[in-house]
C-alpha cells in the first residue's frame, strides 16, 4: 500500500488534500493522471449501466436537498455510527470495526460508553444562522432518485422493471482514518435504484450480483481477489432486508468495494407518506396501484480506483508496471522521437502525436533515453509506446512497443489510428 501511495503522489495520480497547510485528514486531490483514470471509470460505468441499457434512466440530482428528505428517509434517526473514545489517547473508533475488542487497539486504554453519531455534514442555507436554515450535504446519491421517481414516470412512462441511476459526490463525516482513499470524507458514488415487483426481488438481486462483479472484472480486476459477503441481521441498514457486499482482498484485509441492497418499498412509501405526493405505480395489466420494491447496487468511484491500482501494480526485475486495462488507462499511447536533438525526428513525431491525439489520450515524451521513457510509461500504465526513428524518415513506419509483452512491432504511421482503434475495441 505504501508503494502505491508513493507512486500515486510522485507520478501525479493522487495528492493529500490541503497539503501545503499540513493536510486535512481523509481528503484527497486527484492529479492529472488520477482525474483521467477516475473519469474513465465513471464514463465506463455510465455507458455500461445507463446509456447501453434501455431500462435504466440517468439523473443528476442536487447535493443539497430539502432536509425533510433526510428525515423521511430515516437518515437523521437511523443513519448512525456508534462510537467509543479511548480515555487515554482519545482516538475514536466505530464499534462495528472493533471486532469485539474492549480496549484501545493503539494504547490499550479503556473506552468511554458508546455514543451515537449521525455522520452527515451540516450546513446552513441563507445569510441568517438559524435552525430553520439547516441543510445536509447528501451522504448518498440514492435519495434524489426516489424523490424524482414520479418525474421520470411522467416523462418516460416506463414499465417494471426499470432503473434510475446517478453518479456524484457524497459526503460522510467519517471518524475512522487511514487506508488512503478507501474511506474519505467526500467521495463519488454511482448508484442505481432498480424498481421491481416485490415477488421478483430475489431474481433481480442475483442478477445484479453478477452484473456488478462482471463490471469490475471487465475493468481488469482479478476475480480471485473478490468475494461476496452477506450482511448479518444486526448489520443491516435501517432500510434493508438483505444486503451483500462485494469485497476485495485489500492489503488490510477483505473489505467492501460495493454494496447491493434490497431496500424493499421503504423509501418510496416513506416519501409518499411524508410528502403527501402519490409515488405509487399502476400496473398496466392488473390496474393495481402499489409501491415498487427496489434493488440497489451502490458503487464507489474511489474504491474502484484503489482496487484497480492495487490489482494492476506489478514489480518486475527491471521495472514497475501498472497493467491497467487499456480502456481505463489515463494515456492510451505515448509518442517519442528517438532523439530529442534531431529536429527532423521531433517534427515527424509531433505530427504523429497530434494526429493520434485527435482520437485518443496521448502522452508526449522526449526526455532522457528510450529505456527511461518506457520505464516511466510502464509505471503509469500506458499500454503502447510509439517511437519515431531514422527509419520513419525513410519509409514512414514506426515501432509500437507493447507494455505487457514489451515486444516491439513495426507499423505504417498512416495506419496507426486504425491499429489502435482496433486494439481498443473490446
Ligand atoms: P462502510 O461499511 O465501509 O462504511 P457503507 O456500507 O457505509 O461502507 P454504503 O453506504 O453501502 O457504504 O455506500 C456504498 C458505497 O459507497 C460503498 O460500497 C463504497 O464504495 C462507497 N463509500 C461509502 N462510504 C465511503 C467513504 N467514506 N469513502 C469512500 N467510498 C465510500
Amino acid at each position: 500500500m505504501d508503494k502505491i501511495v508513493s507512486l500515486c503522489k510522485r507520478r501525479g495520480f493522487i495528492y493529500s488534500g490541503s497539503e501545503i497547510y499540513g493536510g486535512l485528514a481523509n481528503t484527497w486531490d486527484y492529479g492529472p493522471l488520477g482525474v483521467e483514470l477516475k473519469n474513465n471509470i465513471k464514463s465506463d460505468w455510465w455507458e455500461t449501466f445507463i446509456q447501453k441499457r434501455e431500462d435504466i434512466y440517468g439523473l443528476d440530482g442536487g447535493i443539497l436537498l430539502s432536509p425533510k428528505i433526510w428525515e423521511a428517509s430515516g437518515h437523521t434517526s437511523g443513519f448512525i455510527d456508534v462510537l467509543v473514545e479511548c480515555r487515554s489517547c482519545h482516538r475514536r473508533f466505530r464499534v462495528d470495526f472493533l471486532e469485539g475488542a474492549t480496549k484501545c487497539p493503539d494504547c490499550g486504554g479503556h473506552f468511554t460508553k458508546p455514543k451515537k453519531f449521525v455522520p452527515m455534514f451540516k450546513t446552513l442555507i441563507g445569510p441568517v444562522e438559524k435552525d430553520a436554515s439547516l441543510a445536509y450535504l447528501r451522504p448518498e446519491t440514492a435519495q434524489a432518485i426516489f424523490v424524482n421517481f414520479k418525474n421520470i414516470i411522467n416523462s418516460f412512462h416506463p414499465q417494471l422493471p426499470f432503473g434510475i441511476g446517478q453518479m456524484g459526490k457524497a459526503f460522510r463525516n467519517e471518524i475512522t482514518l487511514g487506508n488512503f482513499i478507501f474511506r474519505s470524507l467526500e467521495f463519488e458514488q454511482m448508484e442505481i435504484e432498480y424498481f421491481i415487483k416485490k415477488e421478483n426481488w430475489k431474481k433481480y438481486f442475483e442478477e445484479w450480483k453478477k452484473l456488478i462483479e462482471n463490471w469490475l472484472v471487465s475493468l481488469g480486476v482479478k476475480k480471485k481477489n473478490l468475494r461476496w459477503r452477506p450482511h448479518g441481521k444486526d448489520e443491516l441498514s435501517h432500510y434493508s432486508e438483505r444486503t451483500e457486499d462485494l469485497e476485495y482482498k485489500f492489503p488490510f484485509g477483505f473489505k467492501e468495494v460495493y454494496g447491493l441492497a434490497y431496500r424493499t418499498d421503504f423509501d418510496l412509501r416513506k416519501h409518499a407518506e411524508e410528502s403527501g405526493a402519490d409515488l405509487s405505480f399502476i400496473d398496466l395489466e392488473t390496474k393495481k396501484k402499489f409501491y415498487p420494491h427496489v434493488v440497489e447496487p451502490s458503487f464507489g468511484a474511489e474504491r474502484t480506483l484503489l482496487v484497480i491500482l492495487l490489482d494492476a501494480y506489478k514489480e518486475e526485475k527491471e521495472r514497475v508496471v501498472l497493467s491497467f486495462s487499456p480502456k481505463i488507462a489515463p494515456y492510451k499511447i505515448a509518442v517519442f522521437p528517438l532523439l530529442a536533438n534531431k529536429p527532423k525526428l521531433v517534427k515527424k513525431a509531433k505530427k504523429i502525436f497530434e494526429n493520434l491525439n485527435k482520437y485518443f489520450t496521448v502522452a508526449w515524451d522526449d526526455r532522457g533515453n528510450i529505456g527511461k521513457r518506457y520505464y516511466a510509461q510502464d509505471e503509469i500504465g500506458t499500454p503502447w509506446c510509439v517511437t519515431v526513428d531514422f527509419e520513419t524518415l525513410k519509409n514512414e513506419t514506426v515501432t509500437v512497443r507493447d507494455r505487457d509483452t514489451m515486444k516491439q512491432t513495426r507499423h505504417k504511421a498512416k495506419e496507426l489510428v486504425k491499429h489502435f482503434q482496433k486494439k481498443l475495441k473490446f
Side-chain angles (χ1 to χ4, degrees):
M1 190 71 160
D2 288 345
K3 284 177 181 168
I4 297 278
V5 176
S6 123
L7 187 154
C8 281
K9 176 166 164 80
R10 192 162 36 83
R11 301 305 313 274
F13 283 90
I14 303 169
Y15 309 118
S16 3
S18 312
E19 198 176 64
I20 63 167
Y21 283 96
L24 179 64
N26 272 4
T27 67
W28 301 94
D29 294 337
Y30 288 78
L33 299 189
V35 68
E36 289 295 333
L37 185 56
K38 195 154 38 134
N39 282 345
N40 291 343
I41 292 168
K42 290 192 296 181
S43 337
D44 196 88
W45 185 89
W46 192 259
E47 198 183 302
T48 307
F49 292 111
I50 311 290
Q51 291 176 332
K52 291 215 167 139
R53 292 202 45 148
E54 271 182 60
D55 58 341
I56 305 188
Y57 300 86
L59 181 76
D60 186 14
I63 285 173
L64 294 172
L65 302 172
S66 161
K68 289 181 192 158
I69 289 173
W70 303 111
E71 275 161 35
S73 69
H75 278 78
T76 46
S77 56
F79 181 58
I80 277 167
D81 285 343
V82 183
L83 311 180
V84 286
E85 188 174 312
C86 170
R87 289 187 198 275
S88 309
C89 71
H90 299 287
R91 227 190 118 183
R92 290 175 174 181
F93 299 90
R94 255 171 74 172
V95 171
D96 56 334
F97 289 172
L98 278 172
E99 291 172 346
T102 50
K103 290 202 177 143
C104 174
D106 283 3
C107 73
H110 291 284
F111 288 134
T112 55
K113 280 204 177 124
K115 256 196 208 157
K116 285 184 177 170
F117 168 76
V118 176
M120 284 200 289
F121 282 105
K122 289 177 181 168
T123 189
L124 295 167
I125 295 176
V128 187
E129 295 200 6
K130 54 180 186 190
D131 285 352
S133 45
L134 175 71
Y136 299 98
L137 304 187
R138 66 182 178 199
E140 60 172 31
T141 56
Q143 291 308 319
I145 295 180
F146 294 117
V147 300
N148 279 293
F149 176 78
K150 208 71 195 173
N151 286 332
I152 304 262
I153 299 243
N154 290 343
S155 317
F156 299 94
H157 313 287
Q159 284 307 303
L160 294 178
F162 76 94
I164 306 175
Q166 89 160 30
M167 58 168 69
K169 288 253 174 171
F171 302 81
R172 292 186 193 177
N173 198 355
E174 300 275 7
I175 58 123
T176 312
L177 306 174
N179 292 337
F180 195 32
I181 56 169
F182 178 78
R183 189 177 299 286
S184 44
L185 299 178
E186 61 178 280
F187 51 96
E188 289 186 72
Q189 286 189 318
M190 306 178 288
E191 295 193 299
I192 296 162
E193 302 306 322
Y194 200 67
F195 297 99
I196 53 173
K197 288 185 184 163
K198 182 182 175 180
E199 58 268 29
N200 295 332
W201 78 265
K202 280 191 181 141
K203 173 181 144 201
Y204 288 112
F205 198 93
E206 290 308 318
E207 200 173 291
W208 275 104
K209 270 176 81 171
K210 286 202 197 96
L211 292 170
I212 293 171
E213 184 174 330
N214 289 349
W215 181 67
L216 192 53
V217 170
S218 83
L219 301 183
V221 174
K222 294 173 211 73
K223 214 177 159 106
K224 68 174 169 63
N225 293 331
L226 300 170
R227 73 170 190 201
W228 283 96
R229 188 186 68 81
H231 279 205
K233 276 266 174 263
D234 52 337
E235 204 188 342
L236 287 174
S237 309
H238 60 277
Y239 50 72
S240 173
E241 280 251 316
R242 172 156 154 208
T243 294
E244 290 197 32
D245 291 342
L246 180 64
E247 296 189 331
Y248 178 77
K249 196 172 167 193
F250 288 97
F252 44 91
F254 267 104
K255 291 274 177 302
E256 171 178 347
V257 195
Y258 308 138
L260 175 65
Y262 167 45
R263 285 176 91 126
T264 67
D265 61 355
F266 176 88
D267 301 86
L268 285 182
R269 183 181 288 282
K270 283 287 283 174
H271 284 305
E273 280 166 15
E274 298 296 321
S275 68
D278 179 7
L279 301 183
S280 61
F281 187 86
I282 301 172
D283 190 272
L284 267 190
E285 285 162 21
T286 61
K287 306 284 179 234
K288 269 195 186 147
K289 253 182 151 189
F290 62 98
Y291 296 115
H293 280 229
V294 81
V295 169
E296 176 200 68
S298 181
F299 303 71
E302 287 76 5
R303 286 193 194 172
T304 311
L305 198 151
L306 181 56
V307 164
I308 282 169
L309 281 168
L310 288 165
D311 223 67
Y313 184 84
K314 277 196 286 192
E315 282 178 6
E316 291 175 0
K317 233 186 190 166
E318 285 174 358
R319 62 177 191 157
V320 166
V321 194
L322 283 176
S323 55
F324 293 139
S325 155
K327 69 173 171 177
I328 51 159
Y331 292 120
K332 311 300 178 211
I333 308 157
V335 177
F336 319 140
L338 180 67
L339 298 168
N341 59 0
K342 299 284 176 212
K344 276 191 180 161
L345 286 182
V346 175
K347 196 172 160 204
K348 187 88 203 156
K350 263 267 137 89
K351 225 172 147 191
I352 290 173
F353 167 80
E354 278 158 14
N355 189 41
L356 288 174
N357 210 24
K358 287 183 205 153
Y359 303 89
F360 316 100
T361 45
V362 188
W364 168 264
D365 195 358
D366 58 6
R367 293 163 307 165
N369 61 42
I370 286 286
K372 279 194 183 143
R373 294 182 208 157
Y374 284 155
Y375 185 91
Q377 294 300 328
D378 288 344
E379 211 186 23
I380 60 168
T382 308
W384 301 289
C385 293
V386 170
T387 304
V388 171
D389 53 21
F390 292 106
E391 222 181 306
T392 319
L393 302 180
K394 281 192 229 145
N395 63 10
E396 292 285 328
T397 64
V398 294
T399 62
V400 174
R401 186 259 197 185
D402 183 277
R403 176 196 66 200
D404 298 330
T405 62
M406 293 197 279
K407 285 209 173 102
Q408 299 182 24
T409 43
R410 204 103 202 148
H411 295 263
K412 287 187 179 142
K414 67 171 194 292
E415 284 170 10
L416 282 176
V417 170
K418 264 211 183 115
H419 172 75
F420 290 121
Q421 274 172 340
K422 216 165 142 194
K423 288 250 173 209
L424 282 161
K425 276 227 171 87
F426 297 96

